[in-house]
Amino acid sequence: QVLLVESGGGSVQAGGSLRLSCAVSGVLYSRVCMGWFRQAPGKEREMVAIIDTDGGASYADSVKGRFTISRDDAKNTLYLQMNSLKSDDTAMYYCTRDRFRGRGCGGSWDEYLYRGQGTQVTVSS
């Protein structure tokens, strides 16, 4: 059974930083697309950042220059470094993992078979 467990969320003031982690277990190989999505109350779920097996990353325009996605395949762990946080970043953040694809990673929630339960990030202004 594939499990994705996020950690690192919390409450922070605007301008602060947080680092999210996603530990993956139950997999036989790690070289697939992974990503972070988020959903704020009353808003649609959106892609935050995705990363392929070569480390190539894509970001939502709203987080470019502030967030950095990275992965450590030896540890089966995905990260999201979030700097210069804004109140608009307040949301539940979800880790996702593709089943097979390692490149050409999709930006849609429905394209990721495996998803975590989420970790809450709250930014106060």
Side-chain angles (χ1 to χ4, degrees):
Q1 181 181 3
V2 177
L3 289 177
L4 281 66
V5 179
E6 302 96 336
S7 61
S11 297
V12 64
Q13 289 191 332
S17 298
L18 285 173
R19 188 193 194 201
L20 304 184
S21 298
C22 172
V24 182
S25 61
V27 295
L28 297 178
Y29 55 92
S30 58
R31 297 189 66 75
V32 296
C33 295
M34 296 192 69
W36 290 98
F37 287 73
R38 68 185 181 187
Q39 186 167 23
K43 295 186 178 181
E44 293 187 355
R45 188 181 295 113
E46 62 175 348
M47 185 273 287
V48 177
I50 55 177
I51 186 168
D52 64 23
T53 56
D54 293 326
S58 296
Y59 298 90
D61 288 342
S62 59
V63 307
K64 281 181 181 176
R66 300 188 298 121
F67 290 12
T68 302
I69 188 172
S70 61
R71 60 193 295 162
D72 186 338
D73 290 338
K75 296 181 178 179
N76 277 336
T77 303
L78 180 72
Y79 303 99
L80 184 68
Q81 178 67 43
M82 305 185 295
N83 298 328
S84 302
L85 283 162
K86 306 175 181 179
S87 57
D88 287 346
D89 296 319
T90 295
M92 184 72 78
Y93 284 71
Y94 299 91
C95 172
T96 62
R97 186 179 190 273
D98 200 292
R99 186 175 182 184
F100 294 122
R101 183 171 44 184
R103 295 181 179 178
C105 303
S108 171
W109 174 261
D110 293 337
E111 296 180 86
Y112 292 86
L113 178 64
Y114 304 109
R115 306 147 180 177
Q117 293 299 307
T119 185
Q120 178 67 38
V121 172
T122 302
V123 184
S124 58
S125 57

